[in-house]
Amino acid sequence: MRIPLPDRTPEMYIVVSGDRLKTLMERTGTGQAITSRGLAAAAGVAHGTIGALMSGTQRAVPEDKARAIAAALGVDLLVLFIPEGRATRLIAPVKATA
């Protein structure tokens, strides 16, 4: 008898900073620059997601998207993202909204 596993929500990864993303886009692992549209296409994510990560209006993406973005840039996942969790609050505090 097979026991069904509970639905698992994907682990979320928080972008370290929009500025780091921009810097990595200026010089990818191949040494070439990539546009936000080019990165979105290469990673298979929406262009708006890349723009939102760069501007800070979106902080987190599911693990598969984080891995795809990092791979398209030619960097290790943890160069650009950190896993969301309790310890994350110390590293990437939530911005206060006014």
Side-chain angles (χ1 to χ4, degrees):
M1 176 178 210
R2 189 170 173 206
I3 299 172
L5 297 174
D7 288 337
R8 185 176 155 217
T9 56
E11 186 170 3
M12 298 298 284
Y13 277 73
I14 297 173
V15 70
V16 172
S17 79
D19 288 338
R20 183 173 295 177
L21 175 56
K22 291 173 193 173
T23 299
L24 292 170
M25 289 171 60
E26 290 172 4
R27 186 176 178 122
T28 66
T30 64
Q32 301 295 314
I34 192 167
T35 65
S36 58
R37 288 191 187 279
L39 177 56
V45 300
H47 174 252
T49 298
I50 302 299
L53 290 172
M54 287 192 306
S55 71
T57 58
Q58 180 176 341
R59 297 183 62 227
V61 292
E63 181 179 5
D64 61 332
K65 290 183 181 183
R67 287 190 182 281
I69 292 167
L73 291 170
V75 299
D76 184 74
L77 174 67
L78 298 179
V79 168
L80 184 57
F81 293 96
I82 51 177
E84 187 176 58
R86 288 188 333 193
T88 306
R89 288 184 225 128
L90 298 174
I91 298 167
V94 176
K95 291 181 183 176
T97 56

